[in-house]
Amino acid sequence: MTLSRRQFTGLTLSSFALPSAALAQDMSALDAMHAPLSGTTSEFNAAMAFIKARGNPDMAAGLITSLRFSRARGPQIADALTAITGQDHFTDWFEWTLWQERNPQIKPHPDFPDFIREVLVRVDDNFADFLRPEHIQPDKMKIRLEEITWGGVVKDGIPSLDNPVLISAEQAGYLKGDDLVFGVSINGDVRAYPLRIMGWHEMFNEVIGGVPVALAYCTLCGSGILFETDVAGRSKPLVFGSSGFLYRSNKLMFDRETNSLWNQYTGQPVVGPLVDSGIALKQRPVVITTWDSWKASNPDTKVLDVETGHRRNYGSGVVYNDYFSSPDLMFPAVVNQDAHKQKDYVFAVRQFGAARAWPLDAFAATPLINDAIADTPLVLIGDAQTRSVRAYERGAHSFTAQNGKINDQTGAEWRVAEDMLLGPDGTNLPRVAGHISYWFAWDNYLGDAATIYDG
């Protein structure tokens, strides 16, 4: 996806044909929601009059949905929205969606689940797999149905890479030294997944070092999170794909066994059969770094082959280039920008019963930070330029970095490895899972439940 936010807000549904609405005197709320997308001019006008006469903001969610898909009727839809909400964002779907997020006290009309399901299934028949009527009632979901947004692609329109072909570092002549990769090491199995490829796929399902894992890469929120997919109580590992839906500019992934929708950022199911399962996927460490740096530290690494079986332009700096270079979001999400801009990078850790983030620019001043999350002391080693951060438990130690070396408070030198810090006496300090993210996603999903390092 390379469209701007304004291009996305103007999308239309071709050949959209919902049941015709009745005239105002016989109109139901569901008829009125249908009319902007399917009704004749007289039916549409009657629907707008009906909605204004009701004067209830519970119809706002349906109108905001229609505003996105009905460009020609936008001014009349906007007029009805203003009449029932007291707000005026004219035909700006982006701003109306932000208003909706800021007002969770306004509950959509009970007919809204039927309406939004019909709209989205018209986009892609396969969306019915995720939007089964019994699972999209407000009390059955962990997120707000009215905030689920179509991301501009169909189910699996961003295809996952499942057990893809890997090659040796020597065979990876297609990579440039400054290309960024996701680096993963599990039980001595070391692998690299270039962002220039993963940006087109946003998901891989693999077994690394004997551990079934999935990398969920949300390009929109800048986060690639490595999850274990072997879950207690289930007979086989979960396998994930990209649903085509977003929630607050964060991808909703799905598991192929139950078609439950999952929050990519938290690793928890939010819609569907697994909602009340209590599952929260365990994170594994992953680092973003340059190919040259990863290869130098891990000469025996395997790396994703450019021949993925899909036809994409995997060139350096191609995928999402416009989005990554812009300060704007492509899809709506409310974010507090008092201290950090929405697309500033942070390194995020959710472990030990707590959540904490470190602004990436903190590592521009120093490559090493001694800190803690909850009651667990950590040391973080980072490079702001390459978005590389690794976190380790540090116990009672305090570390410094100088001339590329890591020393503890006694002056003893430690070695940085992917899974641990190694001391001169054989002591090792374990790696802590974390990931890079845009600030807006961290702020939107964790907010007051998290802390932020301020130097």
Side-chain angles (χ1 to χ4, degrees), residues 373-389:
I373 180 171
D375 296 323
T376 302
L378 299 182
V379 58
L380 299 100
I381 303 166
D383 183 332
Q385 187 174 1
T386 61
R387 280 183 260 158
S388 305
V389 183

Side-chain angles (χ1 to χ4, degrees), residues 114-267:
D114 290 339
F115 169 69
I116 192 63
R117 183 179 189 276
E118 292 176 22
V119 170
L120 294 173
V121 170
R122 291 282 177 161
V123 174
D124 178 11
D125 290 345
N126 293 311
F127 286 163
D129 296 339
F130 310 131
L131 303 175
R132 283 166 281 184
E134 66 270 26
H135 295 309
I136 59 172
Q137 300 306 312
D139 62 340
K140 302 295 185 182
M141 302 173 62
K142 299 297 185 183
I143 56 177
R144 296 169 66 193
L145 178 62
E146 62 271 28
E147 288 193 54
I148 293 178
T149 301
W150 177 44
V153 295
V154 297
K155 178 184 178 182
D156 283 321
I158 301 175
S160 63
L161 296 177
D162 299 337
N163 301 308
V165 175
L166 302 173
I167 56 179
S168 68
E170 291 74 18
Q171 294 173 301
Y174 74 91
L175 279 171
K176 298 179 179 179
D178 60 355
D179 282 341
L180 296 180
V181 301
F182 289 110
V184 179
S185 176
I186 300 177
N187 298 329
D189 190 348
V190 183
R191 306 188 184 189
Y193 300 84
L195 273 66
R196 58 189 263 193
I197 296 179
M198 290 307 305
W200 288 105
H201 298 279
E202 299 194 355
M203 179 74 64
F204 71 60
N205 295 280
E206 283 267 44
V207 177
I208 303 178
V211 180
V213 292
L215 180 82
Y217 179 28
C218 176
T219 49
L220 294 175
C221 52
S223 65
I225 308 176
L226 189 66
F227 292 113
E228 288 190 17
T229 55
D230 199 0
V231 176
R234 303 198 69 80
S235 60
K236 56 185 178 180
L238 295 164
V239 177
F240 289 96
S242 294
S243 69
F245 292 148
L246 305 171
Y247 187 77
R248 300 181 180 179
S249 201
N250 179 14
K251 73 179 290 173
L252 292 176
M253 57 190 190
F254 74 97
D255 72 88
R256 299 190 183 280
E257 182 179 350
T258 74
N259 280 315
S260 295
L261 295 174
W262 295 64
N263 184 326
Q264 175 268 353
Y265 209 80
T266 65

Side-chain angles (χ1 to χ4, degrees), residues 219-222 249 320-330 335 337 340-346 360 387 437-441:
T219 49
L220 294 175
C221 52
S249 201
Y320 282 90
N321 181 56
D322 291 344
Y323 179 73
F324 292 148
S325 61
S326 168
D328 296 329
L329 303 185
M330 192 182 295
V335 57
Q337 298 190 77
H340 304 281
K341 295 179 181 179
Q342 58 190 2
K343 288 173 79 174
D344 285 350
Y345 283 111
V346 299
L360 196 59
R387 280 183 260 158
S437 167
Y438 283 138
W439 166 251
F440 86 84

